[in-house]
């Protein structure tokens, strides 16, 4: 091996003499020439160094490895796995959204609590309930696990008809407070995550309303805002245009001394009907709707809408008893009201209300509910028309008073009331139920104290939206009153103090029921086996259990004493069976009614709290008068799939449960 030997020079430091530098450079050029010498070295095998990846390697080294097949292929596999995973995730998300059932809206997911504001809570000691009083008691609503409040009419009014004839649709009656109080109440309701519905009665106004005063004087466009007709005079008395009778009795025509004509009123003479064949009147109502929705109201209940139009030909309505002398007809029930209710064009007006409300529903999460509060009683098909059609919606639901209108109480009558609604309700629509209202006697007065709890159990386990009238959760009773419209409007009973805690003043606008010391919220909150305790337990169960929330309803059995039905959900083996007694003590063999029914079931809830958690034999279910049981059992054969129950099962918002994925889907 040859080695190159290189000479060196001595470093003499820095010298400024240029001659010396030139000489040094010349010498250096000669002395630095390499000298070659030969050295004998034995040959040794030289191993090639193998480079491996290491932490912190520079980019150049990294690139050498990244181009190797084993690293490139692995990288590409991981890349395509990530892409495939992302595609699968997106597709799964789309599939879940496409297959998921529509979420229940706020007006479907919670019971509605109806408040008559003058009787709920008095905040200023004048003896009248008010808006501030409602705000003070919002915690009671949340305590009941309720999310929606329905406040009945509080417009400025002479209160001749308990506030249902408005003097000003844009103002609050001073008895209830001010517009500021209302705005504060709305804010407080929404702060608690609650929703609020209010009443709107568009059919008529008070005779004190500015529109009526202008109309009776034939002022401009207001001349035809109401229904005016000439009246004949004979022997010093006024002869009306026809035999039409008001809901409250006697002629529905009233002579006005100012205009010298008769005006039409379906209710009291202080409540003249608006002329809805006048487009300007319809626009006025649309403006009122916009005003209150703009204030933050979440929904409106339109009352008396079936009275909005009357026949223009003014013919006499046919009497129920054809042999009755026409001059003796004074009661509303004595005529068929073919020309004063549900006239052609009525539903066009209602759809117009819906369209205006939909303008305020476009904001996500701010759907505006619309209800219609018309009780057709015998004509269930006419009631169902307020749902609208498949393509044109009207009300989200017309309020259902079937359970209130029952003429007698039994398992058969309750079954008939429930099936009547479910069988006639249009497909895809949502049911609702009420057992009390401001216009009906309370449960305990109407059918008896012993049935309070079982009626609430029925209300809260049926499919759809339950409506509870204030005080029914504690079993309040009517008071004695000469005025037929007042007994069910007595002050709310909060505690055992003077005036039941309704007011701190000396008196209330109506007397408090004498049972207030034992029937009140404070006492029942501390007593586990109370009507209030059961009501809360039922609302909790309803919120927690999907079959009760949106599952099937199947009618299993009814007789003079009991009504039995199940609530179940596709894909879920847990079933709830309600055995409700509306008659006398009874024993029911459920195994004989339902094939493959398990021999035992667990009592999930009972009107007798001590029975909760017990196991019962389904072949021998004993119930006392007014007792209700919520039974729970498991089965692989739901009732709604059995041929024997076809036509007896109903579902509104169909959904199926996947146990593996723990989610709901629609195609099942």
């Amino acid at each position: 091996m040859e080695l190159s030997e290189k000479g060196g020079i001595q470093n003499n430091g820095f010298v400024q003499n240029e001659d010396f530098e030139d000489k040094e450079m010349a010498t250096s050029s000669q002395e630095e020439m390499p000298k070659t010498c030969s050295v004998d070295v034995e040959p040794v095998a030289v191993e090639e160094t193998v480079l491996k990846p290491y932490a912190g390697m520079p980019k150049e080294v990294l690139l050498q490895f990244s181009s190797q097949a084993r690293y490139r292929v692995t990288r590409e596999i991981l890349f395509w796995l990530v892409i495939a995973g992302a595609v699968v995730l997106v597709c799964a998300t789309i599939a879940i959204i496409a297959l998921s059932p529509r979420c229940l809206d706020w007006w479907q997911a919670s019971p509605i609590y109806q408040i008559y504001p003058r009787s709920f809570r008095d905040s200023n000691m004048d003896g009248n309930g008010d808006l501030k009083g409602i705000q003070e008691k919002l915690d009671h609503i949340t305590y009941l696990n309720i999310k929606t409040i329905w406040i009945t009419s509080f417009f400025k009014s002479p209160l001749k008809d308990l506030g249902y004839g408005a003097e000003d649709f844009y103002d609050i009656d001073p008895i209830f407070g001010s517009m500021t109080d209302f705005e504060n109440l709305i804010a407080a309701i929404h702060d608690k995550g609650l929703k609020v519905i209010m009443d709107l009665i568009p059919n008529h106004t008070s005779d004190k309303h500015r529109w009526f005063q202008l109309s009776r004087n034939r002022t401009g466009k207001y001349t035809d805002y109401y229904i005016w007709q000439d009246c004949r005079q004979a022997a010093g008395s006024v002869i009306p245009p026809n035999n039409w009778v008001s809901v409250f009795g006697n002629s529905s025509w009233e002579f006005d001394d100012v205009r010298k004509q008769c005006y039409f009123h379906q209710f009291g003479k202080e409540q003249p009907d608006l002329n809805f064949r006048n487009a300007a009147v319809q626009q006025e109502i649309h403006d009122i709707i916009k005003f209150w929705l703009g204030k933050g109201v979440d929904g409106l209940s339109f009352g008396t809408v079936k009275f909005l139009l009357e026949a223009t030909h003014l013919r006499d309505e046919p009497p129920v008893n054809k042999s009755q002398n026409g001059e003796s007809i004074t009661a509303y029930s004595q005529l068929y009201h073919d020309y004063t209710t549900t006239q052609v064009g009525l539903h066009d007006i209602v759809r117009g209300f819906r369209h205006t409300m939909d303008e305020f529903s476009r904001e996500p999460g701010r759907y505006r509910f619309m209800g219609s509060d018309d009780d057709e009683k015998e004509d269930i098909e006419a009631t169902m028309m307020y749902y609208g059609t498949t393509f044109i919606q009207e009300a989200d639901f017309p309020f259902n008073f079937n359970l209130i209108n029952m003429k007698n109480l039994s398992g058969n009558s309750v079954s008939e009331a429930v099936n009547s609604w479910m069988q006639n309700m249009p497909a895809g629509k949502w049911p609702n139920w009420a057992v009390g209202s401001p216009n009906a006697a309370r449960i305990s007065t109407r059918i008896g104290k012993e049935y309070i709890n079982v009626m609430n159990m029925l209300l809260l386990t049926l499919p759809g939206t339950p409506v509870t009238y204030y005080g029914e959760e504690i079993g309040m009773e009517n008071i004695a009153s000469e005025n037929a419209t007042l007994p069910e409007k007595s002050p709310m009973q909060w505690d055992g103090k003077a005036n039941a805690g309704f007011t701190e003043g000396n008196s209330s606008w109506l007397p408090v029921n004498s049972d207030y010391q034992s029937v009140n919220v404070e006492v029942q909150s501390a007593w586990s086996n109370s009507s209030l305790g059961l009501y809360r337990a039922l609302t909790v169960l309803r919120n927690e259990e999907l079959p009760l929330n949106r599952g099937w309803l199947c009618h299993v059995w009814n007789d003079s004493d009991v009504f039995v039905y199940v609530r179940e959900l596709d894909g879920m083996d847990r079933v709830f069976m309600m055995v409700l007694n509306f008659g006398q003590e009874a024993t029911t063999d459920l195994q004989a009614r339902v094939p493959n029914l398990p021999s035992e079931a667990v009592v999930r809830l009972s009107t007798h709290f001590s029975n909760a958690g017990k196991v019962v034999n389904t072949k021998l279910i004993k119930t006392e008068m007014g007792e209700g049981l919520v039974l729970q059992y498991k089965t692989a054969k739901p009732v709604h799939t059995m041929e024997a129950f076809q036509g007896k099962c109903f579902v509104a918002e169909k959904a199926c449960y996947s146990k593996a994925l723990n989610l709901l889907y629609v195609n099942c």
Side-chain angles (χ1 to χ4, degrees):
M1 183 175 69
E2 292 186 349
L3 297 177
S4 180
E5 183 181 22
K6 187 176 182 180
I9 63 172
Q10 183 179 358
N11 185 1
N12 295 316
F14 179 73
V15 181
Q16 294 184 349
N17 191 310
E18 293 182 0
D19 294 337
F20 178 81
E21 289 181 357
D22 293 338
K23 182 180 180 181
E24 181 180 16
M25 291 178 62
T27 305
S28 178
S29 63
Q30 295 177 0
E31 294 181 350
E32 289 184 355
M33 293 296 293
K35 296 179 180 179
T36 304
C37 63
S38 297
V39 179
D40 292 332
V41 179
E42 292 184 4
V44 178
V46 180
E47 295 184 1
E48 184 181 354
T49 304
V50 179
L51 188 61
K52 296 182 179 180
Y54 58 91
M57 69 182 104
K59 180 175 69 175
E60 293 80 4
V61 178
L62 181 63
L63 289 173
Q64 293 180 24
F65 291 104
S66 65
S67 61
Q68 296 178 11
R70 56 177 173 173
Y71 296 111
R72 186 180 68 254
V73 172
T74 302
R75 184 172 65 251
E76 290 179 356
I77 291 174
L78 290 174
F79 172 78
W80 288 113
L81 283 176
V82 170
I83 295 298
V87 170
V88 170
L89 185 61
V90 170
C91 293
T93 302
I94 294 173
I96 289 172
I97 294 173
L99 296 176
S100 294
R102 189 180 68 86
C103 293
L104 296 184
D105 218 324
W106 59 265
W107 51 273
Q108 298 172 304
S110 163
I112 295 175
Y113 191 81
Q114 187 179 21
I115 294 174
Y116 189 75
R118 197 175 181 184
S119 296
F120 196 61
R121 166 66 179 159
D122 171 25
S123 69
N124 59 2
M125 299 188 296
D126 68 351
N128 295 290
D130 47 47
L131 299 179
K132 284 185 177 179
I134 296 175
Q135 186 173 342
E136 289 178 2
K137 292 296 184 179
L138 289 180
D139 285 343
H140 178 66
I141 311 300
T142 57
Y143 176 75
L144 295 174
N145 303 303
I146 289 176
K147 299 291 186 181
T148 304
I149 304 170
W150 174 10
I151 307 176
T152 61
S153 184
F154 49 76
F155 298 122
K156 185 177 181 182
S157 167
L159 298 178
K160 289 282 186 181
D161 59 340
L162 302 174
Y164 289 102
E167 181 180 339
D168 187 350
F169 285 108
Y170 294 94
D171 201 4
I172 308 290
D173 195 280
I175 281 183
F176 303 121
S178 65
M179 187 60 74
T180 299
D181 295 334
F182 176 77
E183 291 167 350
N184 291 338
L185 174 60
I186 291 291
I189 287 172
H190 289 161
D191 284 347
K192 288 186 175 291
L194 308 178
K195 302 288 186 179
V196 61
I197 299 168
M198 62 177 279
D199 268 347
L200 177 59
I201 314 296
N203 176 70
H204 52 266
T205 70
S206 164
D207 59 359
K208 305 297 182 185
H209 198 288
R210 183 177 66 91
W211 298 344
F212 186 76
Q213 297 304 315
L214 293 169
S215 186
R216 74 195 309 196
N217 285 287
R218 302 176 188 267
T219 303
K221 68 174 185 177
Y222 298 100
T223 300
D224 295 324
Y225 263 42
Y226 297 83
I227 300 167
W228 297 94
Q229 289 292 329
D230 292 329
C231 299
R232 291 183 292 117
Q233 305 249 352
S237 61
V238 176
I239 300 177
N242 53 34
N243 73 340
W244 295 355
V245 175
S246 80
V247 173
F248 296 154
N250 298 315
S251 176
S252 56
W253 297 96
E254 183 71 15
F255 184 75
D256 180 62
D257 286 328
V258 176
R259 182 153 167 160
K260 304 302 181 184
Q261 282 186 306
C262 284
Y263 63 85
F264 179 69
H265 58 90
Q266 294 261 31
F267 296 89
K269 65 180 182 179
E270 300 88 3
Q271 302 165 277
D273 275 37
L274 286 164
N275 177 16
F276 270 86
R277 298 191 186 277
N278 184 336
V281 170
Q282 292 190 35
Q283 186 58 50
E284 294 278 11
I285 302 302
H286 286 282
D287 291 342
I288 292 166
I289 294 170
K290 293 176 182 178
F291 175 81
W292 290 104
L293 295 183
K295 287 287 184 182
V297 171
D298 299 291
L300 293 172
S301 169
F302 291 84
T304 69
V305 290
K306 72 177 181 180
F307 299 103
L308 293 182
L309 292 176
E310 299 78 28
T312 56
H313 53 62
L314 300 181
R315 296 176 190 148
D316 283 355
E317 291 190 313
V320 174
N321 182 0
K322 294 182 179 180
S323 63
Q324 184 177 3
N325 184 346
E327 294 182 358
S328 66
I329 294 177
T330 58
Y332 192 73
S333 59
Q334 293 174 328
L335 294 175
Y336 291 112
H337 302 285
D338 297 341
Y339 306 139
T340 54
T341 62
T342 319
Q343 298 299 292
V344 174
L346 166 66
H347 288 278
D348 293 331
I349 296 173
V350 177
R351 285 191 287 269
F353 296 159
R354 172 84 263 174
H355 179 73
T356 298
M357 297 195 68
D358 285 344
E359 293 177 7
F360 287 80
S361 297
R362 293 169 183 166
E363 181 182 348
R366 289 305 308 275
Y367 181 83
R368 306 306 174 95
F369 166 82
M370 176 177 167
S372 64
D373 188 3
D374 270 301
D375 188 3
E376 297 284 356
K377 291 190 169 87
E378 304 299 328
D379 193 351
I380 187 69
E381 292 182 0
T383 299
M384 294 301 161
M385 290 179 68
Y386 290 101
Y387 275 113
T389 67
T390 304
F391 304 103
I392 303 177
Q393 184 179 1
E394 293 184 24
D396 290 297
F397 53 66
F399 285 99
N400 175 5
F401 301 104
N402 280 9
L403 296 174
I404 296 176
N405 294 334
M406 292 184 301
K407 295 179 180 178
N408 56 74
L409 183 68
S410 69
N412 292 330
S413 64
V414 172
S415 172
E416 182 182 356
V418 172
N419 289 334
S420 171
W421 190 273
M422 298 304 292
Q423 288 173 351
N424 287 281
M425 185 179 69
K429 299 301 182 180
W430 188 254
N432 71 100
W433 313 92
V435 293
S437 87
N439 304 310
R442 291 189 175 276
I443 298 172
S444 55
T445 302
R446 190 171 74 246
I447 58 179
K449 293 181 181 180
E450 59 272 22
Y451 297 107
I452 293 170
N453 290 340
V454 73
M455 286 298 287
N456 279 332
M457 182 172 282
L458 171 72
L459 177 72
L460 293 168
T461 55
L462 286 172
T465 301
V467 180
T468 292
Y469 183 52
Y470 82 96
E472 297 290 14
E473 72 273 25
I474 59 174
M476 284 178 57
E477 293 185 67
N478 281 15
I479 59 169
S481 174
E482 296 180 358
N483 187 324
T485 64
L486 295 180
E488 62 274 2
K489 299 180 177 68
S490 61
M492 179 66 177
Q493 295 163 202
W494 295 106
D495 55 43
K497 300 176 184 175
N499 297 311
F502 164 73
T503 179
E504 295 177 5
N506 295 324
S507 62
S508 54
W509 79 285
L510 284 178
V512 174
N513 197 299
S514 59
D515 66 359
Y516 75 91
Q517 291 188 335
S518 59
V519 181
N520 65 66
V521 172
E522 184 179 66
V523 165
Q524 293 197 16
S525 296
W527 179 30
S528 60
N529 197 25
S530 66
S531 295
L532 180 60
L534 177 64
Y535 189 97
R536 288 193 71 230
L538 286 165
T539 55
V540 169
L541 184 67
R542 179 186 179 85
N543 291 338
E544 291 179 347
E545 296 292 349
L546 283 172
L548 293 175
N549 192 268
R550 62 185 303 162
W552 286 86
L553 163 73
C554 290
H555 172 203
V556 171
W557 175 252
N558 65 275
D559 57 28
S560 60
D561 297 313
V562 299
F563 175 41
V564 183
Y565 55 97
V566 299
R567 299 296 312 280
E568 54 194 21
L569 189 71
D570 288 285
M572 186 173 284
D573 59 2
R574 186 164 65 254
V575 176
F576 293 92
M577 176 178 283
M578 271 54 67
V579 183
L580 309 181
N581 187 306
F582 297 101
Q584 302 300 314
E585 183 176 338
T587 300
T588 309
D589 181 0
L590 295 178
Q591 290 186 33
R593 312 300 174 194
V594 182
N596 303 316
L597 182 69
S599 60
E600 292 183 340
V602 177
V603 179
R604 185 68 182 267
L605 278 180
S606 170
T607 52
H608 300 162
F609 268 58
S610 59
N611 291 334
K614 291 183 178 179
V615 176
V616 295
N617 183 349
T618 55
K619 189 173 180 60
L620 200 67
I621 300 292
K622 293 183 178 180
T623 52
E624 300 176 0
M625 180 175 64
E627 183 179 2
L629 298 172
V630 178
L631 304 179
Q632 179 180 322
Y633 63 89
K634 289 189 175 183
T635 182
K637 185 69 174 175
V639 173
H640 74 271
T641 63
M642 299 179 184
E643 186 176 352
F645 291 93
Q646 297 305 304
K648 296 182 179 181
C649 295
F650 312 95
V651 66
E653 293 281 351
K654 186 177 180 180
C656 315
Y657 178 72
S658 169
K659 187 175 182 180
L661 300 176
N662 191 29
L663 53 74
L664 294 174
Y665 61 100
V666 289
N667 294 329
C668 53

